[in-house]
Amino acid sequence: MKYSKETSKIIQDAGLDANNVGSSEAQIALLTDRIRSLTEHVKLHKKDVHSRHGLVKLVSQRRKQLKYLRKTKLDSYDTLITKLSIRGL
């Protein structure tokens, strides 16, 4: 299956195969990208409550994925949070 160039680039930057979109690492990388773009939007538009709500949902999803990854593959978890420069759980 073909994915957009942006999606493939985000996944490759996370250190994974570009076609491996279903792995926890890839999902966390994609969620992180969406979270960063939404964060910038919410900073600009302070009264946009709907986008803020969506941002909170994305952060919650990423937290659950990180929790699962930490429980199953600790070494992969450590490398991913350093590559994406996010705080761990």
Side-chain angles (χ1 to χ4, degrees):
M1 180 175 215
K2 290 249 179 184
Y3 299 102
S4 70
K5 290 180 182 179
E6 183 178 320
T7 301
S8 299
K9 184 181 180 318
I10 292 168
I11 294 170
Q12 284 177 344
D13 288 345
L16 302 168
D17 180 35
N19 293 326
N20 191 6
V21 206
S23 68
S24 296
E25 296 93 338
Q27 290 180 23
I28 291 168
L30 291 170
L31 283 170
T32 300
D33 183 59
R34 287 179 60 198
I35 287 169
R36 286 187 177 140
S37 66
L38 256 180
T39 302
E40 292 303 315
H41 173 80
V42 169
K43 284 181 184 176
L44 271 171
H45 308 283
K46 296 189 184 302
K47 294 188 178 189
D48 190 355
V49 180
H50 295 292
S51 292
R52 187 178 309 272
H53 180 68
L55 176 63
V56 170
K57 283 175 122 176
L58 288 176
V59 170
S60 176
Q61 280 182 340
R62 184 178 69 178
R63 185 174 50 237
K64 289 176 189 176
Q65 288 283 339
L66 282 168
K67 188 176 179 181
Y68 170 77
L69 188 63
R70 187 179 66 184
K71 189 169 51 173
T72 57
K73 298 187 257 182
L74 186 61
D75 55 339
S76 179
Y77 168 81
D78 290 333
T79 57
L80 189 66
I81 61 171
T82 56
K83 281 184 184 176
L84 295 176
S85 64
I86 56 177
R87 291 184 294 169
L89 297 176

